[in-house]
Amino acid sequence: METLLNFWEFIKPVAIILGYIVLIMVPLILAVAYLTYAERKIIGFMQMRMGPNRVGFFGYRLWGLGQPIADTFKLIFKEIVIPSGANKFLFIIAPIISIGTAFAAWAVVPFDAGVVLADVNAGLLYILAITSLGVYGVIIAGWASNSKYALLGALRSAAQIVSYEIAMGFALVGVLIAAGSLNLSAIVAAQEGEYGVASWFWLPLFPLFLVYFISGVAETNRAPFDVAEGESEIVAGFHVEYSGTAFAGFFLAEYANMIIIAALAAIMFFGGWLSPFQGIHSIFGLPVDLEGWFAPVPGIVWLVFKMMFFLLLFLWFRATFPRYRYDQIMRLGWKVFIPITIVWLLVVGAAVIADVPPWFAGAR
């Protein structure tokens, strides 16, 4: 018995961390699955179609809520066909790299005050570093497939991701300057104020927010920046030779990256878990305690609502905009976004030095 107790004390920290990882991963995987369902239903509504409405549970259709589960089993039982001449090891490891980097980024994302797996001081730097590795999965998949279509898609994707990563990095540097910290929890805390929504960083950093979010759409290869998998030009791009669970890995990574982009947009620019009514105790001089009314709402609920709004924008873009030409995408990233971010970084730096309230007072 004493030996078992000693063994438990030895593995207890590891078991607790694994439990936290499961608590993050299971809702995330379910969110990815039902984000695909939401995409099909919402875009179907916008285009006056029904969307999935047949597959349900226990003989009931339930608006097609069983469709993601059916799709999952379909992909699991499909054969993984490896092309002749392909590098088998790299072909298999490419989707693992993509999905691994997409999930690893969640280690430092705070869901509420004190609710974070690893509250590291360099959280923002960690996310930029770990998400940058995702491009290797795409490049390796394109090269290992031994297909010209896949290689062209991989090269397109690599150039696009590198281009927009620079603009996104500059946009997040503006948040770093404003908050005075690389810690994501500290960035959210820096947006606390008595003006509710107006205290958040989206207002003074609005150009940087636009650059960040559009760059995030480009980084995830979503429409209208999906030239890496432009079916009218290069069939399906870098994953054209993939099927079964290997294809599901790329699919899962794309939607997980969409969710992390939405979460970071909420945390960096829209107050994270903070209530939009924080600090508001009166309206036009009338005693209306909005902060008190909404105080019982958990912070994670506000964060999820904000993320859902940004994910809706992802889907809305896909239903609305035609695909950009490749040269237009490169020009937007290098000639428009990077100059805008550099100029606005100078503006933010001057505002921090001048202690402009309410956002930058005491930021230094």
Side-chain angles (χ1 to χ4, degrees), residues 260-285:
I260 191 72
I261 292 293
L264 289 178
I267 289 168
M268 301 293 178
F269 298 96
F270 283 82
W273 62 80
L274 298 179
S275 166
F277 308 105
Q278 187 178 39
I280 300 177
H281 302 285
S282 64
I283 300 177
F284 302 117

Side-chain angles (χ1 to χ4, degrees), residues 18-282:
L18 289 176
Y20 287 149
I21 291 173
V22 170
L23 284 176
I24 294 173
M25 287 297 101
V26 171
L28 179 60
I29 292 171
L30 288 174
V32 167
Y34 278 92
L35 181 57
T36 64
Y37 170 82
E39 179 173 32
R40 295 167 69 177
K41 292 294 280 189
I42 291 170
I43 294 179
F45 172 76
M46 291 179 177
Q47 298 173 347
M48 299 182 70
R49 294 184 288 105
M50 294 297 293
N53 65 346
R54 287 290 185 272
V55 184
F57 297 100
F58 309 113
Y60 297 96
R61 290 182 180 177
L62 299 175
W63 310 283
L65 285 171
Q67 189 65 53
I69 310 299
D71 291 340
T72 301
F73 279 103
K74 177 189 73 174
L75 288 171
I76 288 173
F77 289 107
K78 267 190 173 182
E79 181 185 3
I80 299 177
V81 179
I82 300 177
S84 59
N87 186 311
K88 293 185 179 180
F89 173 73
L90 294 179
F91 187 85
I92 296 298
I93 206 171
I96 297 174
I97 293 174
S98 292
I99 197 170
T101 55
F103 283 166
W106 286 91
V108 297
V109 174
F111 300 95
D112 204 338
V115 183
V116 58
L117 180 62
D119 192 21
V120 297
N121 289 329
L124 179 55
L125 188 62
Y126 168 83
I127 283 182
L128 288 175
I130 203 73
T131 53
S132 299
L133 296 176
V135 69
Y136 287 104
V138 173
I139 295 173
I140 290 171
W143 184 83
S145 296
N146 192 31
S147 165
K148 292 181 175 61
Y149 283 139
L151 184 60
L152 282 172
L155 293 176
R156 282 184 173 191
S157 182
Q160 180 175 315
I161 289 174
V162 169
S163 301
Y164 282 88
E165 210 160 68
I166 297 172
M168 177 184 285
F170 278 151
L172 295 181
V173 166
V175 177
L176 162 63
I177 294 172
S181 175
L182 283 165
N183 183 284
L184 298 186
S185 297
I187 289 172
V188 174
Q191 299 176 68
E192 292 180 347
E194 55 188 44
Y195 301 105
V197 176
S199 298
W200 300 343
F201 284 156
W202 70 272
L203 199 53
L205 306 181
F206 190 69
L208 297 184
F209 163 68
L210 290 180
V211 169
Y212 164 80
F213 191 69
I214 296 172
S215 297
V217 176
E219 286 246 323
T220 50
N221 290 323
R222 293 286 300 180
F225 300 99
D226 56 339
V227 293
E229 46 196 59
E231 65 276 358
S232 60
E233 306 159 13
I234 50 175
V235 191
F238 63 91
H239 57 66
V240 65
E241 301 291 351
Y242 281 85
S243 60
T245 51
F247 169 76
F250 286 117
F251 198 69
L252 196 60
E254 177 181 322
Y255 283 84
N257 282 324
M258 286 169 57
I259 297 173
I260 191 72
I261 292 293
L264 289 178
I267 289 168
M268 301 293 178
F269 298 96
F270 283 82
W273 62 80
L274 298 179
S275 166
F277 308 105
Q278 187 178 39
I280 300 177
H281 302 285
S282 64

Side-chain angles (χ1 to χ4, degrees), residues 333-352:
W334 288 102
K335 294 186 176 180
V336 179
F337 283 176
I338 291 177
I340 288 175
T341 53
I342 291 173
V343 169
W344 208 256
L345 285 179
L346 296 175
V347 173
V348 173
V352 169

